[in-house]
Amino acid sequence: MNVDQRLEELFNIPRMGHAALEPHNSVRGLYELVKLHVTSDTEMVEIGSFQGVSTMLFALFAKKVNSVDCYDYVVPSTGRIPSHDQLFVDAEKVFLERTSHIENINKIRKSSVEAANDFADQYLDLVYVDAEHDPVSVRSDINAWKNKIKSGGILCGHDFMLPHIYTILYEEGLINELCTYPDSSWSVIIK
């Protein structure tokens, strides 16, 4: 299968398999970011890979994709939710089935902050943040990874429609050449 055929296949798979295929849940918009920032020399981390659809898109163009996902969630004070537990078990199984044959994907089953400790500062070309979406988790992910990116590299992520994403980027001084994309992805340049 050539790259164009593979792209068409990926464009028709929902990123979050339990939700409908719509612009926010498709890699079609993410492809716009990939075309601008991912090359055959790109060493990157994707935080929050879930079922691996975006991971496979990155892997089509990047030298190496480090896929970081703990396959867990922020547990509410009321306790674990069995349906959520099963959702993440199933997602990891699908991820492994989809990506086990792709040699430039390195799966890391850790929390984002824990995995960041495994990478040297200013080592990565790009980091894509799409794990937990609450403000505390997003800020923690951004702060854990921003120094791991080379000067001139790209910090990016998903869900820019959430108001706290811009607020966090602004408060952390990370709105350098801010771009947004049709799937609600965003990117900034690390200075």
Side-chain angles (χ1 to χ4, degrees), residues 99-110:
T99 64
S100 62
H101 66 284
I102 304 173
E103 294 180 9
N104 64 332
I105 295 175
N106 176 38
K107 180 181 182 292
I108 302 169
R109 192 179 201 275
K110 292 183 178 180

Side-chain angles (χ1 to χ4, degrees), residues 4-178:
D4 290 337
Q5 291 169 321
R6 187 69 179 129
L7 282 171
E8 271 311 306
E9 182 181 72
L10 291 173
F11 290 161
N12 290 297
I13 303 171
R15 290 169 82 157
M16 300 292 286
H18 60 283
L21 183 62
E22 55 190 11
H24 176 76
N25 196 30
S26 165
V27 294
R28 190 176 298 274
L30 177 60
Y31 180 54
E32 298 302 315
L33 181 150
V34 169
K35 288 190 297 188
L36 289 174
H37 299 299
V38 179
T39 70
S40 59
D41 293 324
T42 301
E43 293 207 26
M44 64 168 289
V45 168
E46 177 188 31
I47 303 162
S49 302
F50 202 61
Q51 294 182 341
V53 180
S54 52
T55 314
M56 292 185 296
L57 176 65
F58 287 127
L60 278 175
F61 300 97
K63 179 178 180 180
K64 185 172 186 180
V65 179
N66 294 285
S67 165
V68 174
D69 203 313
C70 65
Y71 290 95
D72 205 350
Y73 56 97
V74 175
V75 178
S77 60
T78 55
R80 297 196 71 84
I81 304 166
S83 62
H84 282 38
D85 292 341
Q86 191 60 51
L87 178 71
F88 283 93
V89 167
D90 294 345
E92 185 173 23
K93 181 180 176 188
V94 170
F95 177 91
L96 291 170
E97 290 169 357
R98 287 179 172 164
T99 64
S100 62
H101 66 284
I102 304 173
E103 294 180 9
N104 64 332
I105 295 175
N106 176 38
K107 180 181 182 292
I108 302 169
R109 192 179 201 275
K110 292 183 178 180
S111 73
S112 170
V113 173
E114 183 183 11
N117 293 322
D118 296 340
F119 291 84
D121 286 354
Q122 298 187 12
Y123 173 75
L124 297 163
D125 300 298
L126 185 144
V127 172
Y128 188 82
V129 179
D130 189 20
E132 291 291 340
H133 296 84
D134 64 279
V136 171
S137 296
V138 172
R139 188 180 301 274
S140 294
D141 289 343
I142 287 171
N143 283 324
W145 289 95
K146 66 185 180 185
N147 293 328
K148 306 301 177 180
I149 304 167
K150 298 173 185 173
S151 179
I154 304 298
L155 173 64
C156 48
H158 196 224
D159 302 299
F160 193 75
M161 78 288 198
L162 299 173
H164 60 267
I165 302 291
Y166 178 83
T167 301
I168 292 166
L169 292 172
Y170 179 80
E171 289 174 356
E172 297 297 331
L174 295 169
I175 55 172
N176 303 307
E177 299 182 46
L178 174 65

